[in-house]
Amino acid sequence: MEFLTLSNIHHIYFTKTSATTAIKDINLEIAKGEFISILGPSGSGKTTLLSIIAGLIQPTEGRLLLDGHPPGSGHQGIGYMLQEDYLFPWKTIEENILLGPKITGTLDASTREKAILLLEQMGLRNVLSSYPKELSGGMRQRVALVRTLVTDPKLLLLDEPFSAIDYQTKLKLEDLVSSTLKHFQKTAILVTHDIGEAIAMSDRIVMISPLPGTIHKIFEVPAELRDISPFMARQHPFFNEFFQTIWKELESLESKT
Amino acid sequence: MNPKLKAEILHDEYRKKLTRENRTVRSFQLLIFIAFLSLWEASSRIELIDPLLFSAPSKVWNLFLDKLADGSLAANLGITLTETVVGFLLGTLLGTLLAAALWWSPMLSRILDPYLVIMNAMPKVALGPILIVALGPTLTSIVAMGAIISVIITTIVVYTAFREVEPNYLKVLRTVGASRYHCFREAVLPASFPTIISTLKVNVGLSWVGVIVGEFLASAKGLGYMIIYGFQVFDFTLVLLSLLIIAVFATLMYQGVELLEKKLIKNN
């Protein structure tokens, strides 16, 4: 059975003077443990789609099933990572990573221990009582990843989480996120406009064409690239070839609009 | 030379430079103060300014000692200070609560919007006579004056701060299933602390205005009463003494708010 099913998702934004169709006819099935990238030019409704999956907005039309159930509003089981870390600057790192359990009322000694262990696995020690601004961008994004994983989500939504950090850190984080998700067998959806990142990290790439956002084409990433780390994938001979295929497809998309 | 030692020497020099600069600032501040007092005293003695109207520092000082000795100053100061502090706290608290209610219900905020604008534009001290008749010429009506003068502007400023909180903080909270109450407590309120503190600073001044005007209108005690009494019997030494004391205590309250700021905003 599919883990996440999107059928006929349609969303319209209303303002006083206009009704803009952001996305239409989105049909997608995602298996458990799969890593999907949503690739498309800006304005193709990628973030809207992610917000719908997260239950933050109700689609105008269409149905969404997560693990066989329609996700209610404010449901658990979904972790969301944003473009920037959005760690709360007035909270310590410890308070930040324990935010999820605190809100769901599951904060106890064992969740606390788990969170701290996770932080150590990400290579962050002695930062519990620090404030976010004392940490570098890469460290902060790792803390944000811990904050997302602490609630033990079934599905991870990554909204360009590597776009605001420097290239070297980004490559390292890609490896870290990829291995962490594989380790915990999480299903993940990554929104990006970076072709290389999409190829290096995912199992499938869903290309979205803009105005309104619809699924243009779905690419299977070659197995040779899927089974190695994102950094190794970038060095693989197949990488460039696949990059060209996707590049051309994106180009044709842009020339059409 | 050892590079580490060199760094230390440079650091020492830098620190000395800072101390020197600080000392210069302090000495000029003191100089202005002394110059002002001497000029005031001298021009009053040679009657360059009317000594009846502008008094003189020495006269104010002597009156200060007299009033201190007979205990009337402490009594009057105590009353005004209590009224101001209570009015200030009440105004800020009510304003913040009202702002929270507006944030909670966007509908309420839309409905109340024109009334807030009107109430903000209205000169609050003009309500003084009504308050005094309604609440009686007591401490209550004067505290109410001190509060009412700051409550609407606090509401408007704090509500604006609540609305401008980075929406992605709320997104982070909502994805883990946070309620509106959680969002308020974890993100909206703490993110707005800097704004709340700066309205506190404004409110310190406003509350003094409200309370002094209140005492002008109806009181037989307090610093505002001392001013109005001094004016009526043409004792401007008394007026100036009251003014100086107000200046000192308003400054102290302001410093108190700054202390609170340091405690509340830890991540600076």
Side-chain angles (χ1 to χ4, degrees):
Chain A
M1 202 179 81
E2 297 300 338
F3 180 66
L4 176 72
T5 314
L6 305 176
S7 17
N8 286 316
I9 302 282
H10 214 87
H11 193 71
I12 305 173
Y13 283 115
F14 296 104
T15 66
K16 211 169 179 177
T17 50
S18 68
T20 317
T21 307
I23 50 174
K24 72 174 207 184
D25 300 332
I26 301 281
N27 289 292
L28 190 63
E29 294 192 330
I30 298 169
K32 193 168 170 54
E34 206 178 0
F35 195 115
I36 299 282
S37 282
I38 296 177
L39 185 69
S42 50
S44 53
K46 299 184 301 261
T47 299
T48 304
L49 185 58
L50 221 51
S51 296
I52 287 172
I53 298 172
L56 294 173
I57 35 181
Q58 284 296 317
T60 316
E61 253 178 68
R63 220 158 61 102
L64 190 82
L65 284 178
L66 177 66
D67 220 2
H69 304 285
S73 63
H75 49 280
Q76 274 101 60
I78 286 184
Y80 202 119
M81 254 181 105
L82 297 152
Q83 268 127 338
E84 284 165 54
D85 52 81
Y86 291 109
L87 296 178
F88 291 32
W90 52 87
K91 286 178 185 291
T92 61
I93 299 304
E94 183 176 7
E95 287 167 336
N96 264 295
I97 59 172
L98 293 174
L99 193 67
K102 187 181 172 192
I103 281 167
T104 51
T106 53
L107 181 58
D108 55 26
S110 77
T111 46
R112 181 191 220 90
E113 211 170 283
K114 196 182 117 194
I116 294 170
L117 192 72
L118 211 52
L119 203 61
E120 280 176 6
Q121 283 169 0
M122 301 283 167
L124 294 166
R125 284 164 205 276
N126 304 322
V127 293
L128 282 179
S129 53
S130 308
Y131 284 96
K133 65 165 208 161
E134 297 168 51
L135 270 56
S136 69
M139 284 163 96
R140 283 215 298 264
Q141 198 56 290
R142 273 183 282 167
V143 174
L145 179 62
V146 172
R147 177 172 70 183
T148 314
L149 289 174
V150 157
T151 50
D152 203 13
K154 288 186 259 180
L155 175 66
L156 256 108
L157 305 175
L158 311 167
D159 191 356
E160 301 188 30
F162 312 117
S163 59
I165 39 187
D166 62 275
Y167 191 66
Q168 213 178 346
T169 314
K170 166 191 152 106
L171 292 184
K172 282 188 202 158
L173 266 179
E174 280 180 9
D175 272 17
L176 182 71
V177 168
S178 172
S179 64
T180 310
L181 296 189
K182 277 216 176 90
H183 175 73
F184 291 109
Q185 294 181 325
K186 300 283 184 208
T187 314
I189 302 175
L190 169 76
V191 157
T192 184
H193 54 243
D194 179 337
I195 304 172
E197 185 175 291
I199 299 172
M201 297 200 68
S202 31
D203 301 321
R204 276 194 296 162
I205 297 173
V206 177
M207 191 179 287
I208 305 269
S209 63
L211 305 167
T214 50
I215 296 182
H216 175 68
K217 206 166 178 181
I218 299 179
F219 298 88
E220 291 270 347
V221 176
E224 290 86 345
L225 296 177
R226 259 185 280 164
D227 297 335
I228 51 180
S229 76
F231 188 77
M232 296 307 287
R234 283 174 186 270
Q235 324 291 325
H236 199 278
F238 282 10
F239 181 85
N240 259 327
E241 201 181 305
F242 196 51
F243 189 99
Q244 290 305 326
T245 317
I246 295 197
W247 173 264
K248 279 189 192 123
E249 199 65 43
L250 259 183
E251 283 281 275
S252 77
L253 248 184
E254 268 164 24
S255 60
K256 251 187 270 170
T257 52
Chain B
M1 196 192 280
N2 187 334
K4 196 181 164 198
L5 231 82
K6 196 177 172 196
E8 270 170 27
I9 290 169
L10 285 174
H11 188 205
D12 259 8
E13 271 172 22
Y14 174 73
R15 268 191 304 210
K16 269 184 204 144
K17 191 174 146 237
L18 278 187
T19 332
R20 248 197 332 269
E21 276 175 8
N22 266 336
R23 217 173 285 153
T24 316
V25 171
R26 291 278 174 227
S27 15
F28 269 100
Q29 285 169 339
L30 197 67
L31 195 70
I32 290 172
F33 183 67
I34 292 169
F36 172 71
L37 283 187
S38 342
L39 211 65
W40 182 8
E41 183 73 41
S43 43
S44 175
R45 292 244 170 127
I46 59 168
E47 301 206 359
L48 201 68
I49 53 173
D50 187 347
L52 196 64
L53 211 65
F54 294 104
S55 190
S58 55
K59 285 195 216 162
V60 174
W61 177 250
N62 286 333
L63 187 69
F64 171 69
L65 293 179
D66 285 351
K67 293 276 173 192
L68 207 61
D70 69 13
S72 64
L73 185 64
N76 284 320
L77 175 63
I79 287 162
T80 305
L81 209 55
T82 314
E83 290 163 347
T84 310
V85 170
V86 174
F88 160 75
L89 292 178
L90 221 59
T92 311
L93 207 68
L94 283 177
T96 308
L97 280 178
L98 202 55
L102 294 180
W103 178 83
W104 197 271
S105 161
M107 198 58 168
L108 183 70
S109 117
R110 274 184 67 187
I111 293 169
L112 290 187
D113 182 61
Y115 297 102
L116 281 176
V117 172
I118 293 167
M119 283 196 283
N120 186 44
M122 194 170 55
K124 260 73 64 182
V125 287
L127 291 174
I130 300 170
L131 277 179
I132 285 158
V133 173
L135 300 171
T138 56
L139 200 94
T140 323
S141 60
I142 294 169
V143 167
M145 281 287 286
I148 209 167
I149 202 166
S150 56
V151 70
I152 300 298
I153 190 69
T154 305
T155 307
I156 292 174
V157 173
V158 174
Y159 174 58
T160 311
F162 283 170
R163 280 207 323 191
E164 279 167 6
V165 170
E166 170 63 55
N168 280 318
Y169 288 138
L170 302 179
K171 201 170 180 179
V172 166
L173 285 166
R174 282 175 57 210
T175 51
V176 291
S179 62
R180 211 163 163 72
Y181 166 72
H182 280 131
C183 287
F184 184 75
R185 204 188 58 186
E186 302 294 337
V188 173
L189 188 62
S192 306
F193 274 154
T195 309
I196 294 177
I197 292 284
S198 49
T199 57
L200 282 181
K201 286 179 181 171
V202 176
N203 290 353
V204 167
L206 286 178
S207 302
W208 278 97
V209 173
V211 165
I212 296 298
V213 170
E215 287 183 347
F216 280 2
L217 290 175
S219 181
K221 289 180 231 85
L223 295 172
Y225 166 73
M226 276 167 67
I227 292 176
I228 215 79
Y229 178 78
F231 162 64
Q232 281 162 354
V233 300
F234 225 74
D235 179 357
F236 277 87
T237 309
L238 185 62
V239 174
L240 284 165
L241 173 66
S242 315
L243 264 176
L244 288 175
I245 288 173
I246 291 170
V248 169
F249 280 88
T251 311
L252 285 179
M253 261 177 88
Y254 190 88
Q255 300 286 339
V257 172
E258 281 198 328
L259 216 67
L260 183 76
E261 180 175 23
K262 282 198 187 115
K263 280 201 132 174
L264 214 54
I265 302 170
K266 287 169 281 188
N267 55 310
N268 259 348

